[in-house]
Amino acid sequence: MLKRNTKYLLVALAGLVVLGCMGLLLANLRAKGMMEESQKKYAAMGVEFAIGPLVPKVDPSQSNGAQQMLDALALLPRADRLMTVDAMNYAGPGRAFVFSQLTNWPVELRSGKRRWVSNVWDEIEPLIDPNRDDIRILWEAATNGVIVPELAIEKNHVNLKLPHLTSLRYAFRLAQIAALYDLREGHREDALEHLLGATRLLVKYDSEPFLVSQLVRNGCAEILSKAIWDALQYPGWTDAELDELQLAVASVKFVEPSVVAMHMERALGFKVWQLSVAQPGYLAIYSGSGGTPPTLLSAIAGILDGSGNAGNLPEVMMGSVWGVSDAYYDGRFFLDSFQSNVVAIQRAVVSRSMMAAKFHTPAIPKGYILSAMMLPSLEKMWLKTVAAETRKSLVVMAVAIKRYQLKYGKIPKESVELVPEFLTEIPVDWFDGKAVRYAPEVGHDFRLWAVGRDGIDGIDGGGVSVATNKSPMFDQDMIWPMPATADEVGKKREALERERAAAMP
């Protein structure tokens, strides 16, 4: 009797397993059909799912400065030890140190072995003077028609290697330091060469269609904007020089290249989804394990014989479960959520306002590995793009104010006085779509600012946003500061000297 009951129980359990598998299979087929419908719907809307058509092509008639840029980046010294040197360092809310005017400035060098120096200019001089020709080679790359590095995208593997991005950021840091150094030495023309060269490089290097490339480019622009702020405190500029700089900065684009990169990001995500469905172990390799995508059997074999891909077993098992349960639901959720982000960005582009975007990415269901990997960064990326465009608006506005001041010996009472002689229109604050804010103060000081993500004007609107510019691309106002006072500079120097003395053996 017991044996018979056990037999019936095993048969029942087997039946339940079969039914469960059939249910899972039917659900998977249903999800697959829904995914295919989504693909057709978005393809009919003009969405490009293939990577190849989104890779920029260089017209044979255009000169490509990519190799010259890469060669120049390889020649430039790494300025790691001077990463603590940065223009537009804040002395307090709304005020910053004019670094090029600081003499015998003590600073802690934090790259490698941390050490204090009594005068940072002694460290900068041997970095700049011997490398001027190599720096100029980099700026000359921007005189070509385009800068489009060759991209290695494998057919069966999304493997983007962009080693030049790190070097590019160092190059802009070096450009900033070189401009500050030349201003300190009174070499205005050389400083302008660095500022214009770096700006034109930003203009030409805009076609790399990846979010990471555009984020690095946005970071380079922030470094450059700080150098321009410092340069505008220099008294010897001519209107022709500032006009050239203003036009160069105004020609830099951030939104358009980022929109292209968004479309590439979707194509990359779709490619990762395809490869992960075909090879569950692909999720392990895409997350950084490298090598050949492992299978469940190869991972188990690796445990048994101590070789192979044993370390990937958890990822492969996760990918295998995902492949038979959530893959098609995840893929559809990814496409739908990504499209809603694209629509939000289109609204923002039309209105030139982050507030109009109204991002809303629904909570990502547990187990949706692809969506969790690809979607969370989209809104943050767009915030940084909006910050870059708004920062550009502040730079263009500040240069125009400087030109007005040079001609009339005073600052404008209202921003509209800059139009049309110095501006065709007042630059836009991309956070709320309004003109950047401007208000004159005593003497030649003025307030120039934009609101943050919260849309609250913390300076003039009586809002709660704290305008310290410590987090300019999120909830606080983005400020174009005024130079620190002599008293603020003195207090900072004393504080640095005390830190240096305390650190000395």
Side-chain angles (χ1 to χ4, degrees):
M1 187 71 177
L2 180 61
K3 290 182 178 181
R4 183 181 302 171
N5 289 340
T6 301
K7 181 180 178 180
Y8 290 151
L9 180 60
L10 290 175
V11 170
L13 288 174
L16 289 174
V17 170
V18 171
L19 288 174
C21 290
M22 289 179 64
L24 187 61
L25 178 61
L26 290 173
N28 211 28
L29 288 173
R30 178 175 176 272
K32 182 179 180 180
M34 294 168 62
M35 177 63 174
E36 290 172 349
E37 287 299 316
S38 291
Q39 287 177 243
K40 291 177 183 178
K41 178 180 71 173
Y42 293 125
M45 295 168 58
V47 171
E48 181 58 70
F49 290 108
I51 294 174
L54 298 174
V55 175
K57 308 295 189 297
V58 180
D59 190 316
S61 65
Q62 291 182 303
S63 58
N64 187 357
Q67 193 57 52
Q68 184 178 351
M69 181 189 78
L70 297 175
D71 291 343
L73 290 175
L75 291 172
L76 292 178
R78 293 287 291 264
D80 303 60
R81 67 182 185 276
L82 293 175
M83 289 301 100
T84 49
V85 176
D86 197 13
M88 212 165 81
N89 259 313
Y90 277 75
R95 292 197 176 273
F97 299 108
V98 184
F99 198 87
S100 62
Q101 297 177 10
L102 301 176
T103 58
N104 302 323
W105 196 250
V107 69
E108 184 183 20
L109 305 180
R110 298 178 182 176
S111 178
K113 184 178 180 181
R114 296 166 70 108
R115 63 188 178 90
W116 277 87
V117 295
S118 59
N119 183 12
V120 70
W121 298 109
D122 293 338
E123 300 286 326
I124 292 176
E125 181 179 0
L127 185 69
I128 302 303
D129 285 336
N131 295 292
R132 288 188 180 277
D133 290 341
D134 293 336
I135 296 174
R136 287 193 176 96
I137 291 174
L138 179 60
W139 305 149
E140 288 170 2
T143 62
N144 288 271
V146 292
I147 296 179
V148 183
E150 185 177 349
L151 303 174
I153 302 179
E154 301 173 20
K155 182 178 180 180
N156 295 316
H157 180 28
V158 179
N159 183 21
L160 300 178
K161 294 183 179 179
L162 306 168
H164 55 278
L165 293 182
T166 300
S167 298
L168 188 69
R169 189 171 178 85
Y170 274 103
F172 273 79
R173 179 72 74 181
L174 189 63
Q176 182 196 72
I177 294 171
L180 299 179
Y181 173 74
D182 283 331
L183 288 171
R184 178 180 181 270
E185 297 296 308
H187 302 153
R188 187 185 75 247
E189 295 85 355
D190 290 334
L192 181 62
E193 181 184 19
H194 297 306
L195 298 177
L196 287 173
T199 303
R200 289 165 181 159
L201 189 61
L202 279 178
V203 173
K204 294 296 177 69
Y205 179 66
D206 69 348
S207 61
E208 199 159 82
F210 304 113
L211 290 186
V212 63
S213 301
Q214 295 306 320
L215 289 174
V216 169
R217 187 168 167 269
N218 292 352
C220 291
E222 181 177 6
I223 294 170
L224 177 61
S225 69
K226 292 180 178 181
I228 293 175
W229 177 85
D230 201 291
L232 289 179
Q233 317 313 317
Y234 188 83
W237 297 108
T238 67
D239 182 71
E241 291 169 334
L242 293 177
D243 183 37
E244 186 178 14
L245 180 61
Q246 181 180 328
L247 289 173
V249 173
S251 66
V252 181
K253 296 179 180 180
F254 297 102
V255 166
E256 292 87 344
S258 293
V259 169
V260 173
M262 285 281 289
H263 293 304
M264 175 61 88
E265 190 78 358
R266 172 163 49 193
L268 289 171
F270 184 72
K271 184 66 174 180
V272 170
W273 177 83
Q274 286 182 314
L275 293 171
S276 299
V277 169
Q279 309 172 77
Y282 188 80
L283 285 173
I285 190 174
Y286 189 73
S287 64
S289 61
T292 303
T295 64
L296 186 59
L297 290 177
S298 68
I300 294 174
I303 290 179
L304 296 177
D305 63 15
S307 61
N309 296 300
N312 293 320
L313 181 58
E315 293 91 341
V316 178
M317 291 182 67
M318 178 179 66
S320 299
V321 172
W322 172 85
V324 297
S325 60
D326 295 318
Y328 292 102
Y329 292 109
D330 190 358
R332 185 167 181 251
F333 183 88
F334 167 74
L335 292 182
D336 291 344
S337 299
F338 206 106
Q339 182 61 24
S340 70
N341 277 282
V342 169
V343 171
I345 288 173
Q346 289 171 342
R347 286 195 298 264
V349 171
V350 170
S351 61
R352 297 194 291 181
S353 168
M354 179 72 188
M355 303 298 290
K358 298 179 181 178
F359 280 95
H360 176 65
T361 300
I364 299 173
K366 188 176 181 180
Y368 285 19
I369 302 172
L370 176 73
S371 297
M373 188 165 48
M374 303 294 292
L375 293 176
S377 63
L378 295 181
E379 184 176 354
K380 186 175 181 181
M381 182 284 301
W382 187 245
L383 274 171
K384 291 187 176 182
T385 299
V386 166
E389 280 287 356
T390 303
R391 191 181 298 111
K392 182 186 80 173
S393 294
L394 294 176
V395 173
V396 170
M397 184 75 170
V399 177
I401 293 170
K402 184 71 172 181
R403 293 175 62 203
Y404 182 101
Q405 185 181 1
L406 283 177
K407 183 171 183 178
Y408 296 107
K410 59 181 181 179
I411 57 174
K413 294 180 180 179
E414 298 179 286
S415 59
V416 293
E417 295 178 29
L418 299 169
V419 180
E421 186 175 6
F422 302 102
L423 292 168
T424 56
E425 65 172 358
I426 304 302
V428 172
D429 175 352
W430 272 74
F431 282 107
D432 68 355
K434 299 178 182 178
V436 294
R437 278 72 167 172
Y438 168 80
E441 292 191 327
V442 178
H444 293 299
D445 281 359
F446 57 87
R447 290 180 292 165
L448 177 61
W449 73 101
V451 301
R453 180 177 61 177
D454 60 2
I456 297 174
D457 186 345
I459 294 181
D460 223 22
V464 298
S465 184
V466 181
T468 62
N469 209 43
K470 295 301 182 184
S471 181
M473 65 184 63
F474 294 108
D475 292 327
Q476 297 173 331
D477 295 344
M478 180 182 285
I479 309 166
W480 188 261
M482 290 293 99
T485 64
D487 183 57
E488 288 170 328
V489 172
K491 289 180 179 178
K492 180 64 174 180
R493 184 192 299 276
E494 291 173 2
L496 289 173
E497 288 290 3
R498 285 195 298 270
E499 286 185 55
R500 188 170 76 91
M504 298 298 285

